[in-house]
Amino acid sequence: MDKEGHFPAAGAVRRRPRPLSPLREHLRDTFWFTPTVGLVGAAVLALGVLELDNLVVRELREEGQYGDIESLIAIADDMKTIITTVGSAMLTFIGVVFSISLVALQMASGQFSPRVVRLYVRSRITKCTFAVFLATFLFALLVQASYEGNEDPRTVSTVPVFSSVTCVLMVLLSLGLFVAYVNSTLRLMRISHVIDRIARESFRVLDRHGVADAGHPGLPAAGAEIPHRGRAGVLRDVHIARLVRAARRQGVVLRLIPRIGDFVVPGTPVLAVHGGAVAPPQRALRYTVSVGVERTFHQDLGFGLRQLSDIAQRALSPAVNDPTTAVQCLDRIVQILAAVSGRPLGALHHYDRKGTVRLVQDVPEWADLVDLGFAEIRGCAVGSPQVTRRLMAALEDLARLAPAGRREPLERHRTLLEQAVERTVREPADRDFALRPDRQGIG
C-alpha cells in the first residue's frame, strides 16, 4: 500500500515479508535486555572517562602544571555534591516513576483490553528511559567511588572532572527522556491514540503482505502432511523464503494448513505437500514456523480487527458503559475494511525465481474479516442507539465501496442488526431512531 492508501496491482512486484525472529521478539517482549545493555554501557563509559581523567592528571603532572591540577580539584569538589545527590536520588526516582506506571498500565489493560498491554511492553521509549535511568545511577556510583581524599596536586592520581561532567550530561538526558516517556505513556493511556496505533499497525501488515491472488492455483492432491514438532502455541509467522527454497529443491508445492493466529499443538498438520509424496527433509524445514504465546501483527491480517472488537465489547459492557469508545473502534474497523474491500483475498501465492508457485498461504476471506469486525460488536450494541446508528452507517459506507460480489456479508449484518433492534426496542420511534445511519452515532 502506498502513501495514498492504494495497493499495487496484481502483477506488480510483491515484497516478501521478512521472517519473524523468535529471539528478537523475545527480547522485545521482555524488560531485562535493554536495561542490562544500559548498565553494561554505563560501566564501560565510566571506565573510559575515568581513564581520561587519569590521563589528563598524568599529562599535567609531567608538564609541571600543578596550578591547573589544583583548579581541576576545585571543580571536582564543587561537582561532588551533584554527583552524590544523583546517586542517592536516582534509584528512588526510578522506583516511584515505574511503580506509578505499572498502576496506570493495570488500569489501562482493565479498561481497554489485555491485548493492548503489548503496546506498553514493547514501547521503545519506555525501555530506553528505564535503561538510561539505571545507567545514570550506576555511572554516578562509579564516579562517586573514584573521588580521592588526597588533594595534593603532586600526589593525586585522578581528578574526576570529565566524569562528573559526563554524569551531569546523563542526568540532563534522563530528564529529557523522562519528559518523552511521560508524554508517550499518557498517549497510550488515551483510548483514541491506542486505537490509532492498532489501526496503523494493521495497515503496516497489509503493506507487508503485498497482494493476494484472486483464486487458488490448481493444486494436485496432497501427497503428505508435515506435522508441527515444536511446542504448543499461536502460529505467529512462517519463514516464506526458506519454505519456498525447500519446496523448490524437492519439486513440490507446500500449502500452509493453519492460518496465522491459529493455535497449534504438537502433531497438528501445518504443511501439506502437493505434487509429490515425499516431503522436504526436516533439516530444510527447521525454523520455518514461529510459534509463541500470543498473536503478533507481523503476518496476522485479523489481529488488528480482533483488538478493536475486544476494546469495543469491553466498552459496551455494563461495567464500563462507554459507547463512544465503541464508536471510535467502529471508525477504525471501517477504515481497515474499506482498505481491503477491493483487494483480492483468499490465498497468498509465493513464487520461486522461475515464477513457479511453491508456497500457498491462506488468508482470511472478506466475509471472515467482516464477521470479525462486526459480529460481536453487533451483539453487544443493541441497547446503545449511538452504536447501532454508527454500525448502520458503517455497513452502508462499506456497501458503497465494496464490489457487488462482496456485499452479501454486509447485507446479512444489516438484516441481523435490524432484527435484533426490533426484538429489543419496543417503541417504533425508538427503533427508527436506533436504525438511522449516523457516522457520529449521536452527534
Side-chain angles (χ1 to χ4, degrees), residues 316-334:
L316 292 174
S317 65
V320 179
N321 194 20
D322 182 15
T324 302
T325 294
V327 169
Q328 290 178 309
C329 291
L330 283 172
D331 292 339
R332 298 300 183 172
I333 290 174
V334 172

Side-chain angles (χ1 to χ4, degrees), residues 203-386:
F203 280 107
R204 276 198 291 267
V205 73
L206 288 173
D207 180 37
R208 195 179 297 123
H209 262 335
V211 180
D213 294 85
H216 291 265
L219 295 177
E225 290 184 344
I226 302 174
H228 175 56
R229 301 182 183 276
R231 61 172 182 169
V234 177
L235 180 61
R236 304 186 304 171
D237 176 85
V238 292
H239 197 308
I240 294 173
R242 190 169 294 173
L243 285 173
V244 168
R245 286 196 301 267
R248 178 179 56 81
R249 292 170 183 171
Q250 202 69 22
V252 297
V253 179
L254 298 177
R255 178 174 59 86
L256 185 66
I257 297 175
R259 287 198 308 213
I260 301 297
D262 289 354
F263 190 87
V264 296
V265 298
T268 302
V270 291
L271 291 169
V273 182
H274 297 265
V278 180
Q282 187 62 33
R283 64 178 181 276
L285 300 177
R286 188 176 301 172
Y287 306 120
T288 56
V289 175
S290 176
V291 173
V293 297
E294 64 178 351
R295 296 168 68 173
T296 69
F297 271 105
H298 193 253
Q299 290 184 5
D300 197 337
L301 287 176
F303 189 41
L305 293 175
R306 175 73 273 161
Q307 292 186 85
L308 293 173
S309 179
D310 288 345
I311 295 173
Q313 291 180 75
R314 182 68 64 89
L316 292 174
S317 65
V320 179
N321 194 20
D322 182 15
T324 302
T325 294
V327 169
Q328 290 178 309
C329 291
L330 283 172
D331 292 339
R332 298 300 183 172
I333 290 174
V334 172
Q335 180 187 7
I336 296 172
L337 291 178
V340 300
S341 60
R343 175 191 178 109
L345 297 170
L348 291 171
H349 301 165
H350 303 285
Y351 302 84
D352 60 15
R353 296 177 181 177
K354 296 182 179 180
T356 303
V357 176
R358 292 300 181 186
L359 176 64
V360 178
Q361 179 183 356
D362 288 335
V363 296
E365 298 278 1
W366 169 251
D368 299 329
L369 296 176
V370 171
D371 291 340
L372 178 58
F374 293 135
E376 294 171 314
I377 299 177
R378 174 176 51 78
C380 300
V382 177
S384 176
Q386 180 181 358

Side-chain angles (χ1 to χ4, degrees), residues 98-125:
F98 281 90
S99 296
I100 297 174
S101 300
L102 291 176
V103 174
L105 174 60
Q106 184 178 5
M107 294 176 60
S109 64
Q111 182 178 358
F112 303 151
S113 168
R115 255 66 61 190
V116 303
V117 176
R118 62 184 299 276
L119 299 178
Y120 296 83
V121 175
R122 297 167 67 90
S123 174
R124 290 188 175 92
I125 186 64

Side-chain angles (χ1 to χ4, degrees), residues 165-184:
V165 172
T166 303
C167 185
V168 172
L169 294 177
M170 293 182 67
V171 171
L172 296 177
L173 176 61
S174 300
L175 294 177
L177 282 175
F178 174 68
V179 174
Y181 165 74
V182 171
N183 179 69
S184 175

